[in-house]
Amino acid sequence: MRPSLFQLTPVAMLVVSAFSAQVVAQNITVNGLVLDSDGKAIEQARVHVHGRQHYVYADKNGRFTIQAPADAELHISAKGYGDQFVTLSNGNELKVQLQSGGVERIVVSASGLHQYDLDMATPVSVLSGEELSRKTAPTIGETLKSMPGVHSNYYGPVASSPILRGLDGPRVRILSNGLDSADVSRIGPDHAISADAITTEQIEVLRGPSTLLYGSGAIGGVVNVVDNRLPRQLRAASTQIETRYSSGADERTAVLTHDGGQDQVAWHVDGFKRKTDNYDVPNFTNDEGESTDQLANSWLDNSAVNGGLSWITDKGLLGFSIGHIDSEYGIPGHHHHEEHDDQDQHDDDHDEHNEEAVFAKVKQDRYGLAGELYTPFKGIETLSFSSALTRYQHHEIEEGVIGTTFKNDSFESRFTAEHETIAGWHGVFGYHLQQSDYQAIGEEAFTPDTKTDSHALFVLEEHSFGDFIAQLGARIEHVDYKASGIEFEHHHEEEDADEDHADQVKHDFTASSLSAGLVWNFQPGYNTALSVSRSERAPGAAELYSNGAHIATRTYELGLVYQLDQDGEISEFDVNFKKEVANNIDLTLRKYEGDFTFTYNLFYNKVHNYLYMRDSGLTMADLHSHADEDHAQDHDDHEEHDEEHGHAEDEAFSIFHYQQQDATLYGAEFAMAYQLTAEQQLEIFIDSVRAKLDNGGDLPRIPPVKAGTSYSYSAQNWSANLDWTHYMKQNQLAANESATGSYQILDLSFSYYFNLNELDLTAFVKANNLTDELGFVHSSFIKEDAPLPGRSFILGVKARF
């Protein structure tokens, strides 16, 4: 049965009825002022109700208003300042002074226990505020790639997913407000992530296994994109409008965000429109021997609108949200399906781009429902749920005709109960449901239609004693797959459908995960953390059932359920497939107070039955058709048609067969910041990862060592940033993989803050890749054809009122 919006209704009715039966502490309105040590207002200071997902930001005068229980503890923080905790008592007027220096402590909503990033045993990074605005790119991967431990699989500027410690795809879960993004970005690198950074409030990156809350797909980590589309706090009405222009692709972007609240109702609306031409790149010679200074077929035309409405009372909240995405983008690297000419099309709109080029047309509708009940009965602090119903459709269009369609209808829901402290332990337990109905239709449908049903139970606990914080967790998950149209013998397209031997195949897996962590605050302003985990991952549907040419990766992908002999014969592989098991250790050392701060992470990940694509040594031309001799003439008749459309080149695609083998990944991440003066800060970071198969050889497309530095100057009315990142040569290679040279990227940005009547304005300019460096991304499937964008200049203005 397809996921339905009606699945949300019983839950909503339950929460609404429960509201009338609860008696909890009365909320009060708290007004406050946040100042620095010199008595100057701190704009955008964050005020958070400890233990809840409620927060507001101070205005330009440092003032804020927030609804909170009369006995609540407020956490006040700001970038570049030490934070403070304030317990409400008599009165509802607060004046808080923050001391400069130190690391801002940020609540990580994806932690499950409202934990602060500095108190977590698992390494986590959060991008928010002005830093997020400065680093925002059209894709999530490019937005995050400068963070320690994070790289991107760069499929041109149009599709780029994050790589965490060498892992991506089905091992890294992309979330939108704690629930799966429900797109098809993990099926292929040319499929863009549906979430966009330009309207978000913060992006959380949990490096290392995060399966306890988010399941098998998070064995490598989690990226949680957080926005306010489902409001959890009554806020004064505020609107932000932003527009920006980039010279590198003639990019035009406009953004609007509005929040408001009255009585017990809060609302949110946001939307954006982005349009680009093909991206300029430093002059290079592609693998066809052509010299060019533009990345062909790299245009974008994206838009989205989101809205939400919440009913917020002293007893809890109930909210509903809706979002719509409409996106079109060119797909670089499909040049073998294009007719090349020498005409410069840089100034054309995408409708006038080469009609032979392949482009994607994406639509997504997402409906969300969430609720919280505070102190519903003795022993329970909060009952909460969050659900999302998503309809996703992705067309790949060639020569004006839809060649392939991907659809994914999904429903996800998470129920949690946060209990009061019992014998010193405070935690949550819950139930997690995920259902999806995936379909692929057309000539590049290399994965079959698959229905997935997943159920899980989980528990997270935390205990503070003295200078220590202990964290424990466990999860058990059952996953069912039902795939249709499976063929255990290879057939050419010309064979009659009734001659194909198509079957429905079912597989199920039970995966369990355990974790333990210890944080030791051994000295004021310092802590060290140790995290150990054992996480199991069920193979994904694409890893099990793929069977076809994947144009994006220029390979023929063959899943685990198939057996391939050296003569090119494909048949059923009748074995019990093993779960991937990751045994991970993380060691962290932090200094988070004072002018000099740092974070140092070491990790070691031993993965049993690691799933990877192994080059079989065969090509598509070697596949056996098992057809009668009569089909040979039919094949000749089709050959001329295939050559006209470029598909004959597909016969040269290597066959990559999913295999399992033990692997080891290990590495280090380091980041430091030094407050030179009240206005100046210097940051330095470096990360590295090694990934090897235990029986010999390296895993493919592992990112190189990355090192960089950033200098920032913040005055009263302006700020400037200089960012330099160096990517070292990658010569630790898998079989049939080529080395990638080193390169460095230099970015410069400047912002000016001013007022015009009632408007708070920010004008900004940024130069990306100032030296016009030619850089190729080793982790990209199309690295030889898709260098990073060249020098470009961004001009923009942001208005708040």
Side-chain angles (χ1 to χ4, degrees):
M1 184 178 71
R2 291 178 60 183
S4 168
L5 186 62
F6 291 107
Q7 291 174 280
L8 303 179
T9 305
V11 178
M13 293 176 64
L14 176 63
V15 174
V16 172
S17 61
F19 268 32
S20 60
Q22 309 304 319
V23 178
V24 296
Q26 181 77 20
N27 272 5
I28 62 173
T29 300
V30 180
N31 298 305
L33 177 64
V34 185
L35 305 173
D36 64 15
S37 57
D38 296 325
K40 296 179 181 178
I42 301 179
E43 185 177 1
Q44 293 295 296
R46 178 168 167 148
V47 183
H48 169 251
V49 180
H50 184 58
R52 295 185 182 177
Q53 295 186 49
H54 297 174
Y55 57 88
V56 296
Y57 293 95
D59 64 17
K60 63 180 179 180
N61 299 313
R63 297 191 176 277
F64 68 88
T65 300
I66 192 169
Q67 302 287 321
D71 58 350
E73 184 179 47
L74 299 184
H75 174 242
I76 299 95
S77 63
K79 185 175 177 58
Y81 295 88
D83 55 349
Q84 279 197 31
F85 289 89
V86 178
T87 300
L88 299 180
S89 55
N90 295 328
N92 54 4
E93 295 287 337
L94 291 179
K95 182 178 180 180
V96 179
Q97 282 193 307
L98 301 182
Q99 301 298 315
S100 63
V103 177
E104 180 184 7
R105 192 186 303 260
I106 299 177
V107 177
V108 181
S109 63
S111 67
L113 272 173
H114 321 291
Q115 292 169 313
Y116 298 99
D117 54 348
L118 301 180
D119 298 331
M120 294 179 62
T122 303
V124 59
S125 299
V126 180
L127 192 61
S128 62
E130 288 298 317
E131 186 180 12
L132 173 58
S133 178
R134 180 164 54 88
K135 294 184 176 180
T136 291
T139 62
I140 296 295
E142 291 301 285
T143 298
L144 301 177
K145 68 178 184 180
S146 64
M147 301 175 76
V150 184
H151 292 254
S152 82
N153 68 0
Y154 191 70
Y155 204 90
V158 299
S160 175
S161 298
I163 298 174
L164 307 185
R165 295 177 166 181
L167 301 176
D168 66 342
R171 296 179 178 88
V172 174
R173 193 171 292 282
I174 309 298
L175 308 176
S176 177
N177 296 304
L179 297 175
D180 195 279
S181 60
D183 49 39
V184 294
S185 59
R186 277 152 285 184
I187 300 297
D190 58 331
H191 299 162
I193 295 172
S194 57
D196 200 288
I198 203 159
T199 57
T200 65
E201 295 197 349
Q202 69 182 41
I203 303 178
E204 305 162 351
V205 180
L206 281 66
R207 304 189 299 278
S210 303
T211 57
L212 297 181
L213 278 177
Y214 304 108
S216 290
I219 199 169
V222 160
V223 174
N224 187 29
V225 181
V226 182
D227 59 29
N228 196 44
R229 73 173 64 183
L230 202 153
R232 297 179 181 271
Q233 172 65 42
L234 293 168
R235 299 182 182 181
S238 64
T239 302
Q240 180 171 293
I241 298 174
E242 178 181 340
T243 182
R244 59 173 64 188
Y245 171 81
S246 175
S247 64
D250 196 26
E251 177 186 338
R252 293 84 71 196
T253 302
V255 189
L256 181 144
T257 304
H258 173 77
D259 291 285
Q262 187 172 1
D263 297 329
Q264 294 181 326
V265 177
W267 60 82
H268 171 88
V269 177
D270 72 62
F272 74 90
K273 173 69 175 179
R274 178 191 293 116
K275 193 171 185 178
T276 79
D277 289 337
N278 288 333
Y279 279 75
D280 293 337
V281 297
N283 192 276
F284 80 106
T285 302
N286 62 28
D287 64 357
E288 293 190 335
E290 300 171 337
S291 179
T292 180
D293 61 358
Q294 191 176 97
L295 182 56
N297 210 26
S298 61
W299 52 269
L300 287 162
D301 190 351
N302 301 341
S303 63
V305 60
N306 303 292
L309 196 67
S310 293
W311 175 34
I312 301 173
T313 75
D314 298 342
K315 304 170 185 177
L317 66 88
L318 179 66
F320 176 78
S321 68
I322 185 170
H324 176 76
I325 295 171
D326 197 343
S327 175
E328 295 183 15
Y329 59 91
I331 303 179
H334 283 245
H335 58 270
H336 61 285
H337 286 261
E338 301 173 20
E339 294 179 4
H340 296 284
D341 54 47
D342 297 327
Q343 182 181 1
D344 183 6
Q345 298 175 334
H346 176 70
D347 297 324
D348 294 345
D349 291 330
H350 75 267
D351 289 334
E352 299 170 343
H353 279 275
N354 190 345
E355 293 183 357
E356 304 296 324
V358 180
F359 70 95
K361 187 172 184 178
V362 175
K363 290 184 182 296
Q364 185 186 73
D365 292 303
R366 187 177 178 93
Y367 309 91
L369 185 67
E372 295 179 357
L373 283 173
Y374 308 135
T375 319
F377 44 82
K378 185 176 177 58
I380 298 296
E381 292 182 357
T382 305
L383 284 178
S384 64
F385 78 92
S386 57
S387 303
L389 174 68
T390 307
R391 309 284 198 204
Y392 178 91
Q393 180 176 273
H394 175 121
H395 294 307
E396 291 191 359
I397 300 172
E398 183 178 1
E399 298 180 351
V401 177
I402 296 175
T404 310
T405 295
F406 300 91
K407 294 182 179 181
N408 191 40
D409 293 340
S410 69
F411 175 74
E412 181 177 7
S413 192
R414 182 182 289 107
F415 299 83
T416 62
E418 182 175 351
H419 66 78
E420 296 176 352
T421 301
I422 303 174
W425 290 92
H426 172 256
V428 299
F429 55 91
Y431 166 72
H432 186 199
L433 166 69
Q434 292 177 286
Q435 296 175 322
S436 69
D437 185 355
Y438 166 81
Q439 294 177 287
I441 306 161
E443 61 181 15
E444 293 182 19
F446 62 96
T447 52
D449 297 351
T450 308
K451 293 183 178 180
T452 305
D453 197 1
S454 171
H455 302 265
L457 298 173
F458 60 87
V459 60
L460 300 173
E461 296 292 333
E462 183 176 271
H463 181 28
S464 298
F465 52 100
D467 295 328
F468 295 90
I469 304 173
Q471 298 164 358
L472 299 175
R475 178 187 178 100
I476 186 166
E477 173 184 77
H478 186 78
V479 183
D480 282 295
Y481 296 118
K482 295 179 181 178
S484 58
I486 297 290
E487 298 175 13
F488 288 114
E489 293 184 357
H490 182 270
H491 297 276
H492 284 296
E493 294 178 359
E494 64 267 23
E495 294 189 59
D496 294 332
D498 58 3
E499 293 182 12
D500 292 341
H501 303 287
D503 302 297
Q504 184 180 75
V505 177
K506 299 180 182 180
H507 289 95
D508 66 276
F509 300 87
T510 299
S512 60
S513 298
L514 299 169
S515 74
L518 185 67
V519 180
W520 178 25
N521 296 290
F522 62 91
Q523 187 174 323
Y526 291 81
N527 71 23
T528 186
L530 175 66
S531 174
V532 295
S533 64
R534 182 185 187 277
S535 306
E536 295 183 344
R537 182 179 79 90
E543 295 168 318
L544 288 170
Y545 308 123
S546 291
N547 185 3
H550 191 179
I551 305 301
T553 61
R554 302 177 187 175
T555 61
Y556 188 101
E557 296 184 11
L558 197 61
L560 278 175
V561 301
Y562 299 97
Q563 182 171 285
L564 176 68
D565 65 26
Q566 287 304 308
D567 293 327
E569 180 178 339
I570 296 174
S571 57
E572 182 177 2
F573 192 31
D574 188 17
V575 298
N576 291 323
F577 309 112
K578 298 178 180 179
K579 294 169 292 187
E580 209 173 72
V581 181
N583 298 287
N584 188 81
I585 300 176
D586 263 290
L587 181 63
T588 302
L589 176 64
R590 305 184 184 101
K591 181 182 184 297
Y592 53 87
E593 289 184 359
D595 291 334
F596 177 70
T597 60
F598 63 81
T599 301
Y600 198 176
N601 300 117
L602 296 173
F603 66 91
Y604 181 88
N605 194 2
K606 178 73 172 181
V607 187
H608 297 288
N609 310 316
Y610 184 89
L611 259 166
Y612 72 104
M613 287 193 293
R614 182 181 63 84
D615 190 345
S616 68
L618 304 175
T619 67
M620 285 180 62
D622 298 317
L623 291 179
H624 282 197
S625 67
H626 299 290
D628 295 333
E629 293 296 332
D630 294 339
H631 288 299
Q633 182 61 45
D634 293 337
H635 177 75
D636 293 337
D637 294 339
H638 283 274
E639 193 174 60
E640 182 177 352
H641 172 79
D642 288 342
E643 289 179 354
E644 289 176 357
H645 291 79
H647 295 291
E649 294 188 15
D650 295 357
E651 295 295 305
F653 284 4
S654 296
I655 301 174
F656 278 75
H657 193 188
Y658 278 101
Q659 301 286 296
Q660 291 187 291
Q661 190 180 138
D662 293 351
T664 302
L665 298 91
Y666 58 91
E669 300 144 359
F670 174 76
M672 59 143 284
Y674 182 53
Q675 196 75 32
L676 302 171
T677 67
E679 299 83 14
Q680 301 178 80
Q681 187 179 66
L682 179 68
E683 298 181 28
I684 296 174
F685 67 87
I686 185 170
D687 67 52
S688 68
V689 59
R690 284 295 312 276
K692 301 186 295 184
L693 293 168
D694 289 2
N695 289 341
D698 291 282
L699 290 174
R701 294 176 301 281
I702 297 301
V705 175
K706 176 184 67 181
T709 185
S710 174
Y711 169 80
S712 62
Y713 190 100
S714 299
Q716 183 173 355
N717 295 321
W718 62 274
S719 64
N721 293 84
L722 182 68
D723 300 297
W724 175 83
T725 306
H726 179 75
Y727 294 83
M728 299 185 185
K729 180 179 180 180
Q730 179 58 289
N731 52 18
Q732 304 291 337
L733 307 174
N736 302 319
E737 192 176 31
S738 61
T740 305
S742 65
Y743 61 94
Q744 51 194 353
I745 301 296
L746 181 65
D747 298 332
L748 177 65
S749 62
F750 175 85
S751 298
Y752 180 69
Y753 315 105
F754 61 102
N755 299 322
L756 183 63
N757 295 326
E758 297 299 319
L759 295 177
D760 296 332
L761 297 168
T762 301
F764 57 91
V765 59
K766 183 178 181 182
N768 288 329
N769 194 4
L770 193 59
T771 60
D772 204 34
E773 179 93 355
L774 180 62
F776 295 94
V777 180
H778 183 77
S779 49
S780 172
F781 279 92
I782 56 170
K783 68 173 184 178
E784 291 87 358
D785 282 344
L788 290 168
R791 183 191 299 114
S792 65
F793 297 94
I794 299 174
L795 298 172
V797 62
K798 185 187 301 180
R800 291 186 292 268
F801 55 92

